[in-house]
Each structure stands twice: as structure tokens, then as C-alpha cells.
Amino acid sequence: MIKTIYLAGGCFWGVQHYFDQFDGIVKTTVGYANGNTENPVYKDVKKGLTGHAETLEIQYDDTVISLPKILDLYFDIIDPVSVNQQGEDIGISYRTGIYYVEKIDFEIIQSKYNEIQKKYDLPLAVEVEPMKNFFNAEEYHQKYLDKNPGAYCHIPASKFKKGLN
């Protein structure tokens, strides 16, 4: 069955490039989630004017890749205790978050969250909330690292099987 989960992990370019490499990921779209305005644009999101987080919409086949596996992969590329920052990207739009559409997913997410929390002394800074709104980012942001190899990414290149080219 095709399911959807939304992950905010700092700059969405690398998060998309990372998840696109795994079997079972059917489609990814970068966009802006859980903010306070309709149809936000990048310059306003980046300035923190809209309250949105740069987020990756992931459509996945749960018979090929499970939500717990996706969450393991997600936690492997973020600093879960960093507040509003991943790598050199700083601001509310770069916060981390897991946004779900199906209530049944909350239990899975909470279980994984609790498991990860045990590994840290500081509280996790990863929001876990229902998806309130999501707006696709501008077209030039979609598959950005495929179009612009060598562009900055907070995720180490070693995490990409396909590389940045």
C-alpha cells in the first residue's frame, strides 16, 4: 500500500536526495509544512516569516520499506537535539519534524522517538505533529542536488549511495 509521511530535516535538498536512493520510496516532493500562511515562497520561509519548515513529502510502498525503517534512516541524517539548525542552516525553517497524516502512524513514530531519546541526555528537538498544511516548493528546489551537484548539503556525501552527480 502507498503511504505518505512528511519529514523536516534541515535543508530539504539533501533530505530528498538521500531518501530518493532507497527501494520502496515511490515519490518525493520538497515543500513547506505546518506554517501560518497560504502558498508560502522560499524567500519568506527562509527568513522565518511564515512559520513553515522545509519538509520532504515521502510517498512509500509499505510492503517494501516500513515506516520504522524510514524513521531509522531519517534519524541517521539529522542531529535530533539541535534546535532550529542542521549543519550551517539556521532558523525556524530548518527545524526537524515528523508530520503524519494517518493517526495509526503516531504510535509507530512515538515508539521510535522514545527509542532515540534514550541515546541522548538532551531532549530531542524533533517535532511530532499531525500534518496541518503542505505546499510544494518552487520547481527549482525539486531534485535540486541532482540538478546542482556540489551544492552545499548538511548531510555528508558518504550517506549518498548514488553520490551527488
Side-chain angles (χ1 to χ4, degrees), residues 16-69:
Q16 181 175 46
H17 192 74
Y18 176 73
F19 276 100
D20 279 347
Q21 68 189 337
F22 297 107
D23 291 338
I25 303 298
V26 176
K27 181 181 179 193
T28 60
T29 306
V30 296
Y32 312 116
N34 284 15
N36 307 317
T37 63
E38 295 286 318
N39 302 310
V41 294
Y42 179 69
K43 67 178 179 65
D44 292 338
V45 172
K46 187 173 170 89
K47 289 179 186 172
L49 301 176
T50 69
H52 290 87
E54 288 195 14
T55 301
L56 181 65
E57 176 186 53
I58 300 174
Q59 294 177 17
Y60 65 99
D61 182 340
D62 71 344
T63 66
V64 178
I65 189 168
S66 67
L67 181 55
K69 178 62 176 173

Side-chain angles (χ1 to χ4, degrees), residues 76-134:
D76 190 45
I77 58 164
I78 64 165
D79 176 350
V81 297
S82 180
V83 178
N84 296 337
Q85 179 176 1
Q86 292 295 306
E88 296 176 21
D89 298 313
I90 301 170
I92 192 168
S93 65
Y94 298 113
R95 70 187 182 270
T96 52
I98 304 167
Y99 310 120
Y100 57 93
V101 288
E102 295 183 42
K103 224 174 190 168
I104 194 166
D105 290 342
F106 176 75
E107 198 172 299
I108 296 166
I109 295 163
Q110 195 62 55
S111 175
K112 182 60 67 178
Y113 189 96
N114 293 340
E115 174 188 324
I116 299 296
Q117 179 61 74
K118 291 175 185 173
K119 299 176 183 180
Y120 293 89
D121 293 329
L122 294 172
L124 298 187
V126 179
E127 297 178 331
V128 176
E129 298 180 353
M131 174 50 66
K132 296 173 191 153
N133 54 50
F134 180 81

